[in-house]
Amino acid sequence: MKALIIIKEQDYSWIREVLPHVHPLLVPICNKPFAEFLIDFSILAGCEAIRFVSDGPLSDVEHYCDDGSRWGIAVSYSSIQIADELQQVIKKNQRYCSDGKIIVISGFIFIHYNKQKDYKKLFAALPEGEILNCICGSLSLSGAPLDGQKAIVSDVALSLTGLNSIDVYYRLSMEVLGYASSPYVLPGYSNEAYCSIGSNVVITKGAEIIKPVIIGNNVQILAGSVIGPDAVIGNNVIVDRDSTVSASIVMDNTYIGEHLAVTNRIATENILIEPESGASMAMEDPHLLTGIKKIGSAETIVQSLVHGLMALILISLQLIPFLLLLPILTMQGKWKWYKNTSYTTVSGKTLKLTTATLERNGLISTLAGALSLDRLPLLFRVLSGQLAIIGGGAVVANSNTVADLSSAPSSNRACVFSYAEAEDWPLTGGDSAIVERYYAVHGNPFQDIIMTVKALFNRILEKNTP
Amino acid sequence: MIISEKLCNDVTVISIKGTIDAKTAPELKKFEFASALESPVVIDLSDVDFLDSSGLGALVGIARKKRDQGGNVTLACMNNKVRKVFEITQVYKLFDIYDDVEAATLNAGKK
């Protein structure tokens, strides 16, 4: 038996807007990623292999689940197109689906199961076809039942909940939290009902824990705080002095400030969400609510140094030709300055930039273009750390480009030269994003030196500045 | 890199063996298909052991050229290394990807 878990971007687009920093398949339900519930269920159903299939990115899921050896099951991944129907998905995964029965879990659905029940026999005996469905998806089976076995779903506890709003997600989390003896395997240590605590948790004297409650790993609960009832505290969370968290979910990497009462809310970094209405509020005061950020890695620091050094070398080479040619080009009307606001990172922070366009006709302007003199003003921003010398390209900030940020790699920074220029990919259209995503993962400071030189070389042959 | 071409049920199946990188990508880019321009193409990637951004550019280039001529390019049998490159760059959105050459051949050109 194998499992095919099909989840399309349209199924989970709503959660991307609410919780943008976590892949929908890894959204925690009582501190356990959603995908793990699906894996647990597949194992209980007797599956030896699981394949996640999506028309969206699966790299975060793959990073978490890897090859499934942690669960003793083979996990693989496959991509489909947005318009692919179930039959087409099965055709695209024909080799995987060719032998034995396949449990097909389609849509953004939570399967209510019980870890103490025997689903192996049930799924071996069930006939081909849909087993359960709900508004958001279905659970079905392909392949004939084993001879002489008959079963019906009502024999065992099994039901579906379609995850289609933040309110459903909140209520589901509270439901899972509310079991005295959970039908699911939940993370953390528990020696009494309604209470589970992770590792490296500091509960200061004077703090109060009221069940039911689940607390993740690396959590600090400071004096005077009251956690619970009905509180889910994620990993890497600090609840500061005299604060109350009840009937709420505090997501990973969140700091709850002093004297704060969080009730019937979902707190994620600096955002508070009211589940019922879906309304969210971003807190500007970091002393009240904020995200706990990781310190920049050594590679990021080396990268900034390398970029700064390259900018310094280029400035020293370009400055004299720039000072000599600029007055001539300005008089010829071939050099034009303009101001714009660009996003500095995918987090949406903006930066006002003064950039130049150069009309490449005539000897002097061609020479200036070949020397990339139009990029010189931006190089000073590299020295101040505001721009990268090479990266994913600067996205001009306006209402049309906000959506582009969500699909951009998280490490993307506004830059002087782009990877697309270095690789000579078309700068317009979606293709440039491909090479930018590639180097967002495979890039390194040494690679950036080579790519900058390549970009400079390619600009010699370029006809007009973009 | 070794490129071999065969015709199977009116579908051209291209098998690529080896590395598709900056050195070999131009060869793939310039590859002339023996079959008709509008005939669907399946590229079997099972023996590709490395793919970089240049190789990706060559595959995207082939697909764009083929589509402009009314044909289609389908990919089959990606190994894990190649699939990861497609995943991080989101190029999977541009192609129909099958885990079996036979299934890809049967379904290529149906869209």
Side-chain angles (χ1 to χ4, degrees), chain A residues 303 307 310 375 388-394 409 411-413 415-427 431-452 454-455 458, chain B residues 53:
Chain A
Q303 194 172 36
H307 283 212
M310 279 196 290
R375 305 289 170 98
I389 193 138
I390 192 154
S411 57
N412 214 357
R413 284 172 67 197
C415 54
V416 180
F417 301 100
S418 71
Y419 290 125
E421 280 177 314
E423 285 278 35
D424 209 12
W425 280 55
L427 292 173
D431 283 3
S432 61
I434 295 170
V435 71
E436 284 153 15
R437 287 192 197 103
Y438 181 86
Y439 284 104
V441 174
H442 292 96
N444 59 55
F446 179 67
Q447 184 91 42
D448 285 353
I449 298 172
I450 298 168
M451 297 303 279
T452 308
K454 276 174 93 175
N458 284 342
Chain B
S53 62

Side-chain angles (χ1 to χ4, degrees), chain A residues 101-102 104 123 126-132 139-144:
Chain A
K101 293 180 89 171
I102 305 287
V104 181
F123 281 98
L126 277 172
E128 192 172 22
E130 200 170 80
I131 300 165
L132 291 167
L139 175 68
S140 56
L141 202 58
S142 79

Side-chain angles (χ1 to χ4, degrees), chain A residues 51-62:
Chain A
R51 177 166 286 184
F52 287 100
V53 181
S54 179
D55 58 347
L58 283 170
S59 50
D60 290 346
V61 183
E62 188 170 356

